């Protein structure tokens, strides 16, 4: 069986009140300028803030029909790059919505310049949420060396919003030899695991990891929304304990 998408794509799918996801088309990882023949699924999370502004987390490839659908929900205002690998389509959305604010994660500007991606970031994400969404969405920087990422928490829905920190690929959506490779990494449903590239850096940054994990535990999320693979719709606390350990170990 070849790789398959989370159909329907480019359609807003509600998760809870004022939050939903949009599954996107396949993307391909490029390493040292070489595009690997490994298609992976993409997913954007959309939060409608109380003032009607939309928070677009890791925007997928721009689509006018999708943009029209989102405008019926609110105004696309915050285009967020949670890490330096999830930014490629922010420029497309910024062109369509010039009043939107583009938010940069660590090192994303350098990566975009190196890949000659047309995008200008207006503001930087920080350790605490900005006033634009601070009452409704909290955030923390999760360490991982080169792969560090901002993690977000939508308070009303108790949804933890991730990109690469946890990956939970469904094996029946992956073709060989990538299916076997995914099994070896442990990053497959229903188990899910930390992205393998973050694991060694986490061991070397234990203090920073403990700070972030205590924050995540304090949120007590009910669900986990992921960019790659199947989301965890229930028992998020159990997933966090299984992957990161019990709170007393943090």
């Amino acid at each position: 069986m070849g790789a398959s998408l989370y159909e329907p794509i480019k359609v807003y799918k509600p998760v809870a009140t004022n939050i939903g996801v949009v599954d996107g088309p396949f993307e391909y990882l490029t390493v040292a300028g070489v595009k690997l023949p490994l298609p992976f699924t993409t997913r954007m999370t959309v939060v409608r803030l109380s003032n009607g502004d939309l928070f677009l987390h890791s925007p997928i490839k721009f689509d006018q029909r999708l943009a029209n659908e989102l405008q019926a929900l609110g105004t696309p205002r915050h285009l967020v790059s949670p890490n330096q690998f999830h930014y490629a389509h922010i420029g497309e959305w910024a062109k369509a919505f010039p009043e939107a604010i583009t938010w940069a994660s660590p090192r994303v500007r350098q990566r975009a310049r190196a890949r000659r991606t047309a995008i200008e970031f207006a503001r930087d994400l920080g350790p605490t949420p900005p006033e634009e969404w601070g009452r409704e969405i909290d955030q923390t920087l999760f360490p991982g060396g080169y792969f560090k990422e901002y993690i977000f928490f939508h308070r009303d829905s108790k949804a933890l919003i991730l990109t690469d920190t946890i990956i939970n690929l469904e094996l029946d959506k992956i073709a060989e030899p990538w299916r076997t490779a995914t099994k070896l990494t442990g990053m497959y449903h229903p188990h899910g695991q930390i992205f393998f590239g973050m694991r060694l850096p986490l061991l070397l940054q234990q203090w920073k990891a403990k700070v972030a994990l205590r924050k995540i535990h304090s949120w007590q999320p009910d669900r986990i929304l992921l960019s790659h693979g199947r989301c965890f719709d229930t028992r998020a606390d159990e997933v966090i304990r299984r992957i990161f350990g019990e709170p007393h170990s943090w």
Side-chain angles (χ1 to χ4, degrees), residues 36-102:
L36 300 181
L38 168 60
F40 58 90
T41 57
T42 57
R43 183 177 296 118
M44 169 173 69
T45 298
V46 179
V47 177
R48 185 184 188 278
L49 302 176
S50 58
N51 64 359
D53 288 345
L54 298 183
F55 171 99
L56 273 55
H57 174 271
S58 186
I60 63 170
K61 185 176 179 60
F62 181 79
D63 178 82
Q64 187 61 59
R65 187 174 298 176
L66 170 61
N68 294 343
E69 180 183 9
L70 294 182
Q71 282 185 286
L73 301 175
T75 303
R77 184 73 66 198
H78 304 290
L79 310 176
V80 180
S81 162
N83 64 33
Q84 64 173 308
F85 305 100
H86 285 247
Y87 72 92
H89 303 299
I90 286 179
E92 304 164 14
W93 287 86
K95 184 177 180 180
F97 298 99
E99 299 302 315
I101 302 171
T102 50

Side-chain angles (χ1 to χ4, degrees), residues 234-250:
T234 60
R235 298 181 177 178
D237 57 336
E238 295 179 13
V239 175
I240 291 168
R241 285 178 168 82
R242 174 178 60 79
I243 293 176
F244 298 114
E246 293 294 330
H248 62 75
S249 67
W250 306 340

Side-chain angles (χ1 to χ4, degrees), residues 11-233:
V11 173
Y12 178 78
K13 303 170 185 176
V15 170
T17 303
N18 293 325
I19 186 170
V21 298
V22 181
D23 288 292
F26 286 127
E27 298 280 358
Y28 291 84
L29 183 64
T30 299
V31 177
V34 178
K35 186 169 79 170
L36 300 181
L38 168 60
F40 58 90
T41 57
T42 57
R43 183 177 296 118
M44 169 173 69
T45 298
V46 179
V47 177
R48 185 184 188 278
L49 302 176
S50 58
N51 64 359
D53 288 345
L54 298 183
F55 171 99
L56 273 55
H57 174 271
S58 186
I60 63 170
K61 185 176 179 60
F62 181 79
D63 178 82
Q64 187 61 59
R65 187 174 298 176
L66 170 61
N68 294 343
E69 180 183 9
L70 294 182
Q71 282 185 286
L73 301 175
T75 303
R77 184 73 66 198
H78 304 290
L79 310 176
V80 180
S81 162
N83 64 33
Q84 64 173 308
F85 305 100
H86 285 247
Y87 72 92
H89 303 299
I90 286 179
E92 304 164 14
W93 287 86
K95 184 177 180 180
F97 298 99
E99 299 302 315
I101 302 171
T102 50
W103 294 85
S105 52
R107 294 187 58 83
V108 73
R109 288 183 176 87
Q110 296 93 313
R111 187 173 179 86
R113 282 197 298 268
R115 283 154 182 76
R116 299 178 181 177
T117 304
I119 178 173
E120 293 291 336
F121 287 98
R123 294 177 62 180
D124 293 279
L125 295 170
T128 57
E131 62 179 358
E132 284 85 351
W133 63 71
R135 288 192 296 271
E136 297 163 76
I137 302 172
D138 203 355
Q139 67 195 57
T140 189
L141 181 61
F142 194 80
Y146 187 69
F147 301 99
K148 58 182 170 286
E149 160 187 330
Y150 273 98
I151 288 176
F152 298 89
F153 177 70
H154 182 235
R155 291 189 173 92
D156 284 351
S157 65
K158 303 192 74 173
L160 193 64
I161 305 170
L162 309 181
T163 43
D164 299 329
T165 298
I166 296 176
I167 294 179
N168 189 41
L169 304 177
E170 295 186 83
L171 295 177
D172 61 358
K173 290 182 174 291
I174 307 171
E176 292 289 4
W178 306 109
R179 184 182 303 172
T180 297
T182 300
K183 285 183 180 179
L184 293 175
T185 67
M187 302 184 304
Y188 62 92
H189 178 74
H191 310 289
Q193 268 301 336
I194 302 170
F195 171 55
F196 67 86
M198 300 176 78
R199 295 174 192 174
L200 178 58
L202 279 175
L203 292 176
L204 302 175
Q205 298 177 298
Q206 291 190 29
W207 183 82
K208 291 182 178 179
K210 287 181 179 180
V211 171
L213 288 169
R214 289 191 189 108
K215 185 75 172 287
I216 292 169
H217 178 67
S218 73
W219 291 333
Q220 298 183 310
D222 286 342
R223 54 171 59 87
I224 305 175
L225 304 181
L226 306 176
S227 287
H228 307 300
R230 186 168 175 174
C231 298
F232 292 101
D233 299 319

